[in-house]
Amino acid sequence: VKPLFFPGGDIGRLAVSGTVNDIAVLGADPVALASGFILEEGFSISDMERILSSMKETCEESDVHVITGDTKVIEKGTLGGCVINTSGIGKRGETLENNIEIAARYREFEARWILDSNLRAGDKVILSGTIGDHGLAVLSCREGYGFGSDIKSDVAPLNKLIKQILGVGGIVAMKDPTRGGLSNVLNEWSEKSKVGILIRENEVPIHEDVRAACDMLGIDPFDVGNEGKIIIGVIPEKAEEVLEALRETREGRDAHLIGEATSKFGEVVLETVVGGRRILPPPVGDPVPRIC
């Protein structure tokens, strides 16, 4: 990420949270991480200590451990200071098994994990909170825009929140909308599950300062990456319970039911605030590069 430190987080918190969340959205319990550092010659020891402290705090927050790693040093002026590569492992737990068992009571469900291809017509789509916060926070700090507001990254490990909603049951798909944002995830789900998805624009939560900044820069907030949100596909019979469970958590207090899967068409369609409909395509390129 560039810069290494940004409003609401830093590269250390981002490295741990991103890997933990990638494991958790499959339905697994994250257990351990490996972490590799690539540092430029002369990298500040105080910055390194700050990054390691942030990683430690995020590991404690998510109950995982960094158990191995490596460090390499390269010539100055080639990286922007520091790059962190993390890998993680997780395991199946009773919460995942119970979730799948509940989903299978209402419809056919043969997958052993929570996958992009599990969505079926009628399933509801829930977003755990506001979109665009991380990408705009990084961009604002990098370019010095300021925007006259206090936009902060949403970067956070979400495995405990995910375990709580898996306990409700009926969840069939989950994804953290990082690169490519909400529109990229929805299009991946539609393609892999072979269903259409209808999203209501007025139900998608966006902070007003993020919306204003996107309008000023000509960026679609649906295409901007996030690091502390999840998109959830859930059977209709359990959607309200999952939404209620999300809203009881700090990270999910702004959760909304934003749409549903359908067999009436095969694309991702956005129902606009004025009542019309348009196709929501996947983003072309990355509107805010180097954010994760």
Side-chain angles (χ1 to χ4, degrees):
V1 64
K2 182 180 179 182
L4 302 180
F5 305 96
F6 47 84
D10 56 60
I11 190 173
R13 182 168 177 80
L14 184 62
V16 174
S17 298
T19 302
V20 164
N21 294 343
D22 284 345
I23 295 170
V25 294
L26 291 170
D29 296 327
V31 175
L33 306 178
S35 181
F37 290 81
I38 305 174
L39 307 174
E40 286 189 358
E41 292 176 321
F43 186 70
S44 166
I45 292 177
S46 62
D47 283 350
M48 188 65 181
E49 289 175 341
R50 182 178 171 187
I51 291 168
L52 290 174
S53 177
S54 180
M55 293 182 73
K56 178 178 182 291
E57 291 174 1
T58 311
C59 283
E60 290 173 348
E61 185 179 339
S62 52
D63 288 335
V64 299
H65 302 274
V66 176
I67 59 172
T68 189
D70 189 29
T71 303
K72 292 290 185 287
V73 178
I74 63 173
E75 293 82 1
K76 187 175 181 63
T78 54
L79 278 181
C82 169
V83 169
I84 304 176
N85 176 276
T86 50
S87 299
I89 58 172
K91 63 180 181 179
R92 296 183 69 86
E94 289 185 7
T95 308
L96 173 61
E97 302 292 357
N98 292 336
N99 173 79
I100 291 175
E101 181 183 334
I102 291 171
R105 293 176 192 170
Y106 295 92
R107 69 163 171 83
E108 183 179 347
F109 190 88
E110 297 179 351
R112 297 186 65 247
W113 299 97
I114 309 300
L115 303 174
D116 296 351
S117 56
N118 290 342
L119 209 63
R120 299 292 180 267
D123 289 341
K124 301 299 183 180
V125 178
I126 295 174
L127 178 61
S128 69
T130 55
I131 60 171
D133 302 314
H134 175 72
L136 265 296
V138 172
L139 182 63
S140 175
C141 186
R142 180 192 304 164
E143 305 297 341
Y145 289 138
F147 299 121
S149 63
D150 188 26
I151 300 175
K152 291 185 178 180
S153 170
D154 58 353
V155 58
L158 300 174
N159 54 314
K160 292 182 179 179
L161 176 148
I162 289 171
K163 190 167 186 175
Q164 182 167 331
I165 60 174
L166 284 174
V168 175
I171 293 171
V172 297
M174 278 191 293
K175 199 82 168 185
D176 48 336
T178 52
R179 284 192 181 96
L182 178 62
S183 60
N184 191 56
V185 170
L186 294 173
N187 276 277
E188 284 187 355
W189 279 7
S190 177
E191 179 183 355
K192 294 177 182 179
S193 295
K194 296 179 173 54
V195 295
I197 301 176
L198 176 65
I199 299 298
R200 288 175 287 277
E201 185 178 19
N202 63 340
E203 294 294 341
V204 178
I206 306 174
H207 284 135
E208 284 305 315
D209 48 4
V210 170
R211 190 190 303 275
C214 285
D215 287 345
M216 186 179 74
L217 297 171
I219 296 173
D220 189 340
F222 283 69
D223 296 347
V224 177
N226 313 265
E227 289 291 345
K229 303 297 188 304
I230 49 171
I231 307 170
I232 305 153
V234 58
I235 60 174
E237 295 84 355
K238 303 294 286 187
E240 287 300 327
E241 289 182 61
V242 169
L243 185 60
E244 183 179 343
L246 276 169
R247 288 175 172 171
E248 290 174 354
T249 67
R250 177 173 56 86
E251 297 87 354
R253 62 182 180 272
D254 295 321
H256 277 65
L257 198 161
I258 63 171
E260 59 273 330
T262 179
S263 58
K264 294 180 179 179
F265 44 81
E267 304 86 10
V268 179
V269 173
L270 185 70
E271 187 175 274
T272 67
V273 293
V274 296
R277 291 185 176 184
R278 68 176 178 88
I279 292 176
L280 182 67
V284 178
D286 191 346
V288 189
R290 291 290 300 276
I291 65 168
C292 59

